[in-house]
Amino acid sequence: LVCMVWRDSEGEVQLSQQNYVEHCLRENSMVDLESRRTLPVLEEQIPPEDRSSPDYEPSKKLCQKYIGQLMWLTTRTRPDIAAVLGILASSMVLVPTRVLECLRGLWAFMKFTKHSCIGTFLPSGVPQPLALHIYTDASYGCGGNRGRTGVALFLRQENTGLECLVQWCSRKQGAVATSAPEAELGALAEGASIGIFLHRVLVSSSVVVSPSPVQKIIETSDSAVSLRQVAGSTCAAMRSKPFALKLSYLRD
Protein backbone atom coordinates (compact mmCIF):
# COMPACT_ATOMS: atom_id res chain seq x y z
CA LEU A 1 0.00 0.00 0.00
CA VAL A 2 2.94 2.36 0.49
CA CYS A 3 4.29 2.72 -3.03
CA MET A 4 4.50 0.87 -6.35
CA VAL A 5 7.85 1.14 -8.14
CA TRP A 6 8.63 0.25 -11.76
CA ARG A 7 10.77 1.33 -14.70
CA ASP A 8 9.33 2.84 -17.87
CA SER A 9 10.56 2.15 -21.41
CA GLU A 10 13.38 4.71 -21.02
CA GLY A 11 14.61 3.27 -17.73
CA GLU A 12 13.28 6.06 -15.52
CA VAL A 13 11.99 4.93 -12.14
CA GLN A 14 8.29 5.64 -11.53
CA LEU A 15 6.64 5.80 -8.09
CA SER A 16 2.89 5.54 -7.55
CA GLN A 17 0.42 5.02 -4.69
CA GLN A 18 -2.52 3.91 -6.80
CA ASN A 19 -3.21 0.93 -4.53
CA TYR A 20 -3.37 3.15 -1.46
CA VAL A 21 -5.73 5.61 -3.17
CA GLU A 22 -8.06 2.75 -4.12
CA HIS A 23 -7.83 1.34 -0.57
CA CYS A 24 -8.82 4.72 0.93
CA LEU A 25 -11.71 5.14 -1.52
CA ARG A 26 -13.07 1.75 -0.46
CA GLU A 27 -12.55 2.45 3.25
CA ASN A 28 -14.28 5.83 2.95
CA SER A 29 -17.20 4.39 0.93
CA MET A 30 -16.25 6.59 -2.05
CA VAL A 31 -15.91 3.91 -4.73
CA ASP A 32 -18.94 5.33 -6.54
CA LEU A 33 -17.79 8.93 -6.08
CA GLU A 34 -17.87 10.85 -9.35
CA SER A 35 -14.31 11.77 -10.31
CA ARG A 36 -13.30 15.33 -11.18
CA ARG A 37 -10.43 16.86 -13.18
CA THR A 38 -9.81 19.91 -10.99
CA LEU A 39 -8.73 20.56 -7.41
CA PRO A 40 -11.25 22.14 -4.99
CA VAL A 41 -10.73 25.72 -3.88
CA LEU A 42 -11.48 26.94 -0.36
CA GLU A 43 -11.84 30.62 0.44
CA GLU A 44 -9.82 31.41 3.58
CA GLN A 45 -12.09 34.27 4.67
CA ILE A 46 -15.12 32.13 5.55
CA PRO A 47 -16.43 33.01 9.06
CA PRO A 48 -16.04 30.29 11.73
CA GLU A 49 -18.83 27.79 12.20
CA ASP A 50 -20.90 27.40 15.35
CA ARG A 51 -19.13 24.79 17.52
CA SER A 52 -22.38 23.90 19.23
CA SER A 53 -23.87 22.72 15.92
CA PRO A 54 -24.66 18.96 15.86
CA ASP A 55 -22.69 18.65 12.59
CA TYR A 56 -19.52 20.27 13.94
CA GLU A 57 -17.86 17.36 15.79
CA PRO A 58 -18.77 14.57 13.28
CA SER A 59 -17.52 16.74 10.41
CA LYS A 60 -14.28 17.53 12.24
CA LYS A 61 -13.59 13.84 12.96
CA LEU A 62 -14.11 12.91 9.32
CA CYS A 63 -11.86 15.80 8.26
CA GLN A 64 -9.11 14.51 10.56
CA LYS A 65 -9.37 11.04 9.04
CA TYR A 66 -9.35 12.23 5.41
CA ILE A 67 -6.54 14.74 5.96
CA GLY A 68 -4.39 12.07 7.63
CA GLN A 69 -4.82 9.75 4.65
CA LEU A 70 -4.13 12.52 2.14
CA MET A 71 -1.07 13.70 4.09
CA TRP A 72 0.39 10.21 3.66
CA LEU A 73 -0.06 10.62 -0.10
CA THR A 74 1.19 14.18 -0.50
CA THR A 75 4.39 13.63 1.49
CA ARG A 76 5.41 10.67 -0.67
CA THR A 77 4.19 10.84 -4.26
CA ARG A 78 1.60 13.61 -4.69
CA PRO A 79 3.11 17.12 -4.44
CA ASP A 80 0.28 18.38 -6.68
CA ILE A 81 -2.19 18.37 -3.77
CA ALA A 82 0.14 19.81 -1.11
CA ALA A 83 -1.05 23.43 -1.33
CA VAL A 84 -4.77 22.65 -1.32
CA LEU A 85 -4.39 20.11 1.47
CA GLY A 86 -2.41 22.58 3.58
CA ILE A 87 -5.17 25.19 3.27
CA LEU A 88 -7.85 22.64 4.15
CA ALA A 89 -5.87 21.34 7.15
CA SER A 90 -5.40 24.84 8.56
CA SER A 91 -9.15 25.58 8.19
CA MET A 92 -10.45 22.26 9.54
CA VAL A 93 -11.19 23.41 13.10
CA LEU A 94 -12.82 26.67 11.98
CA VAL A 95 -15.10 25.42 9.19
CA PRO A 96 -15.16 21.59 9.29
CA THR A 97 -18.42 21.26 7.34
CA ARG A 98 -17.08 23.34 4.43
CA VAL A 99 -13.68 21.63 4.60
CA LEU A 100 -15.34 18.19 4.55
CA GLU A 101 -17.14 19.15 1.35
CA CYS A 102 -13.84 20.22 -0.21
CA LEU A 103 -12.11 17.05 0.98
CA ARG A 104 -14.69 14.94 -0.81
CA GLY A 105 -13.92 17.02 -3.90
CA LEU A 106 -10.22 16.34 -3.35
CA TRP A 107 -10.88 12.60 -3.13
CA ALA A 108 -12.82 12.90 -6.40
CA PHE A 109 -9.71 14.48 -7.93
CA MET A 110 -7.55 11.69 -6.48
CA LYS A 111 -9.86 9.12 -8.02
CA PHE A 112 -9.46 10.78 -11.44
CA THR A 113 -5.66 10.96 -11.07
CA LYS A 114 -5.01 7.73 -9.16
CA HIS A 115 -2.73 6.50 -11.97
CA SER A 116 -0.44 9.53 -11.58
CA CYS A 117 3.15 8.78 -10.65
CA ILE A 118 6.28 10.69 -9.81
CA GLY A 119 9.44 10.06 -11.82
CA THR A 120 12.96 9.75 -10.49
CA PHE A 121 16.30 8.18 -11.33
CA LEU A 122 18.61 6.01 -9.30
CA PRO A 123 21.50 8.15 -7.95
CA SER A 124 23.86 5.18 -8.12
CA GLY A 125 25.13 4.83 -11.65
CA VAL A 126 24.11 8.36 -12.65
CA PRO A 127 27.22 10.22 -13.86
CA GLN A 128 28.25 13.48 -12.23
CA PRO A 129 27.81 16.37 -12.10
CA LEU A 130 24.60 16.62 -10.10
CA ALA A 131 23.10 19.85 -8.76
CA LEU A 132 20.29 20.72 -6.41
CA HIS A 133 17.81 23.17 -7.96
CA ILE A 134 15.35 24.93 -5.64
CA TYR A 135 12.21 26.69 -6.86
CA THR A 136 10.23 28.89 -4.48
CA ASP A 137 7.04 30.92 -4.66
CA ALA A 138 4.75 32.66 -2.20
CA SER A 139 1.23 33.99 -2.00
CA TYR A 140 0.85 37.29 -0.17
CA GLY A 141 -1.69 37.74 2.63
CA CYS A 142 -3.90 34.69 2.05
CA GLY A 143 -7.30 35.56 3.46
CA GLY A 144 -5.86 38.72 5.01
CA ASN A 145 -3.44 36.69 7.10
CA ARG A 146 0.02 35.17 6.74
CA GLY A 147 1.31 34.28 3.30
CA ARG A 148 1.89 30.74 2.04
CA THR A 149 5.26 29.40 0.92
CA GLY A 150 5.77 26.76 -1.76
CA VAL A 151 9.13 25.02 -2.25
CA ALA A 152 10.18 22.32 -4.74
CA LEU A 153 13.67 20.80 -4.77
CA PHE A 154 14.95 18.94 -7.82
CA LEU A 155 18.09 16.86 -8.16
CA ARG A 156 19.33 17.49 -11.71
CA GLN A 157 21.93 15.75 -13.84
CA GLU A 158 23.62 18.80 -15.31
CA ASN A 159 25.05 17.26 -18.48
CA THR A 160 21.74 15.75 -19.66
CA GLY A 161 19.09 17.91 -17.95
CA LEU A 162 17.49 14.80 -16.39
CA GLU A 163 15.98 15.75 -13.04
CA CYS A 164 13.78 14.34 -10.30
CA LEU A 165 11.71 15.98 -7.58
CA VAL A 166 13.21 14.95 -4.25
CA GLN A 167 11.45 17.19 -1.70
CA TRP A 168 8.57 19.67 -1.60
CA CYS A 169 6.40 21.60 0.84
CA SER A 170 3.55 24.09 1.01
CA ARG A 171 2.96 25.81 4.33
CA LYS A 172 1.93 29.06 5.99
CA GLN A 173 4.70 31.51 6.75
CA GLY A 174 5.69 32.05 10.36
CA ALA A 175 5.33 35.85 10.24
CA VAL A 176 2.95 38.30 8.58
CA ALA A 177 4.52 39.91 5.52
CA THR A 178 3.70 43.57 4.86
CA SER A 179 4.32 43.31 1.11
CA ALA A 180 4.54 40.73 -1.67
CA PRO A 181 8.37 41.01 -1.92
CA GLU A 182 8.62 40.25 1.80
CA ALA A 183 6.49 37.14 1.32
CA GLU A 184 8.74 36.08 -1.58
CA LEU A 185 11.84 36.65 0.57
CA GLY A 186 10.32 34.42 3.24
CA ALA A 187 9.89 31.68 0.64
CA LEU A 188 13.46 32.16 -0.61
CA ALA A 189 14.84 31.88 2.92
CA GLU A 190 12.86 28.73 3.66
CA GLY A 191 13.93 27.17 0.36
CA ALA A 192 17.58 27.97 1.10
CA SER A 193 17.34 26.47 4.59
CA ILE A 194 15.75 23.24 3.32
CA GLY A 195 18.16 23.08 0.40
CA ILE A 196 21.32 23.43 2.48
CA PHE A 197 20.15 20.73 4.89
CA LEU A 198 19.19 18.38 2.04
CA HIS A 199 22.47 19.06 0.26
CA ARG A 200 24.40 18.01 3.38
CA VAL A 201 22.38 14.80 3.51
CA LEU A 202 23.13 14.11 -0.16
CA VAL A 203 26.85 14.83 0.30
CA SER A 204 27.05 12.55 3.34
CA SER A 205 25.34 9.86 1.24
CA SER A 206 27.89 10.38 -1.58
CA VAL A 207 25.09 11.39 -3.96
CA VAL A 208 26.37 14.93 -4.48
CA VAL A 209 30.15 15.33 -4.45
CA SER A 210 31.02 18.93 -3.68
CA PRO A 211 33.17 20.62 -1.01
CA SER A 212 30.65 23.45 -0.53
CA PRO A 213 26.86 23.88 -0.89
CA VAL A 214 27.47 27.13 -2.79
CA GLN A 215 28.91 25.23 -5.73
CA LYS A 216 25.97 22.94 -6.19
CA ILE A 217 22.78 24.74 -5.06
CA ILE A 218 20.83 26.90 -7.49
CA GLU A 219 17.74 28.72 -6.20
CA THR A 220 15.12 30.33 -8.45
CA SER A 221 12.34 32.83 -7.71
CA ASP A 222 9.87 34.65 -9.96
CA SER A 223 10.13 37.85 -7.88
CA ALA A 224 12.58 40.26 -9.51
CA VAL A 225 12.19 42.72 -6.61
CA SER A 226 13.17 40.12 -4.02
CA LEU A 227 16.19 39.05 -6.05
CA ARG A 228 17.35 42.66 -6.33
CA GLN A 229 16.98 43.04 -2.56
CA VAL A 230 19.12 39.95 -1.97
CA ALA A 231 21.76 41.36 -4.33
CA GLY A 232 21.73 44.74 -2.56
CA SER A 233 23.58 45.82 0.55
CA THR A 234 20.88 47.29 2.82
CA CYS A 235 17.83 46.03 4.70
CA ALA A 236 16.18 49.46 4.79
CA ALA A 237 13.39 48.33 2.46
CA MET A 238 12.20 45.71 4.97
CA ARG A 239 9.32 46.94 7.13
CA SER A 240 9.41 44.07 9.62
CA LYS A 241 12.35 42.64 11.51
CA PRO A 242 11.62 38.92 10.80
CA PHE A 243 11.96 39.50 7.06
CA ALA A 244 15.00 41.75 7.49
CA LEU A 245 16.65 38.81 9.28
CA LYS A 246 15.63 36.45 6.48
CA LEU A 247 17.19 38.86 3.95
CA SER A 248 20.45 38.91 5.92
CA TYR A 249 20.36 35.10 6.13
CA LEU A 250 19.99 34.84 2.35
CA ARG A 251 22.92 37.17 1.74
CA ASP A 252 25.12 35.15 4.07
Side-chain angles (χ1 to χ4, degrees), residues 12 32-33 55 66 69 73 78 111 113 143 177-178:
E12 185 178 10
D32 297 326
L33 184 68
D55 296 329
Y66 294 163
Q69 292 170 336
L73 288 162
R78 296 301 299 266
K111 182 178 180 180
T113 59
T178 59

Side-chain angles (χ1 to χ4, degrees), residues 134 136 149 151 173 182-196 219 230 242-243 245-251:
I134 308 168
T136 66
T149 288
V151 180
Q173 295 185 343
E182 280 192 355
E184 295 285 356
L185 275 172
L188 276 167
E190 185 157 1
S193 176
I194 297 172
I196 290 171
E219 186 166 16
V230 174
F243 290 94
L245 293 173
K246 291 178 187 297
L247 179 56
S248 297
Y249 167 76
L250 283 167
R251 288 174 180 164

Side-chain angles (χ1 to χ4, degrees), residues 23-36:
H23 164 78
C24 290
L25 290 172
R26 290 193 299 270
E27 185 179 275
N28 299 333
S29 302
M30 294 181 181
V31 175
D32 297 326
L33 184 68
E34 184 178 354
S35 60
R36 56 183 290 175

Side-chain angles (χ1 to χ4, degrees), residues 140-141 145 147 173 175-183 237-241 243:
Y140 168 56
N145 202 333
Q173 295 185 343
V176 177
T178 59
S179 65
E182 280 192 355
M238 296 292 101
R239 300 176 185 175
S240 57
K241 186 174 181 179
F243 290 94

Side-chain angles (χ1 to χ4, degrees), residues 117-212:
C117 56
I118 187 169
T120 184
F121 55 78
L122 291 175
S124 57
V126 177
Q128 299 291 335
L130 294 175
L132 190 61
H133 286 250
I134 308 168
Y135 299 91
T136 66
D137 201 3
S139 58
Y140 168 56
C142 304
N145 202 333
R146 289 174 291 164
R148 180 168 291 275
T149 288
V151 180
L153 297 94
F154 289 82
L155 190 61
R156 180 180 299 175
Q157 185 179 336
E158 294 291 82
N159 55 353
T160 65
L162 181 66
E163 64 181 13
C164 64
L165 183 62
V166 291
Q167 191 170 347
W168 56 89
C169 71
S170 174
R171 59 178 70 124
K172 271 192 175 182
Q173 295 185 343
V176 177
T178 59
S179 65
E182 280 192 355
E184 295 285 356
L185 275 172
L188 276 167
E190 185 157 1
S193 176
I194 297 172
I196 290 171
F197 175 79
L198 180 59
H199 182 272
R200 289 170 179 164
V201 172
L202 294 171
V203 170
S204 65
S205 305
S206 300
V207 176
V208 176
V209 180
S210 168
S212 169

Side-chain angles (χ1 to χ4, degrees), residues 4-5 8 15 19 27 29 41 47 50 53 60 62-63 68 81-82 119 162 174 182 184 200 202 215-216 224 233 247:
M4 295 189 296
V5 183
D8 62 13
L15 309 175
N19 287 350
E27 185 179 275
S29 302
V41 177
D50 181 8
S53 169
K60 189 178 73 170
L62 271 180
C63 286
I81 66 171
L162 181 66
E182 280 192 355
E184 295 285 356
R200 289 170 179 164
L202 294 171
Q215 297 180 8
K216 286 290 185 177
S233 59
L247 179 56

Side-chain angles (χ1 to χ4, degrees), residues 6-18:
W6 74 94
R7 290 178 180 268
D8 62 13
S9 58
E10 299 179 355
E12 185 178 10
V13 179
Q14 304 292 335
L15 309 175
S16 172
Q17 287 181 281
Q18 178 183 341

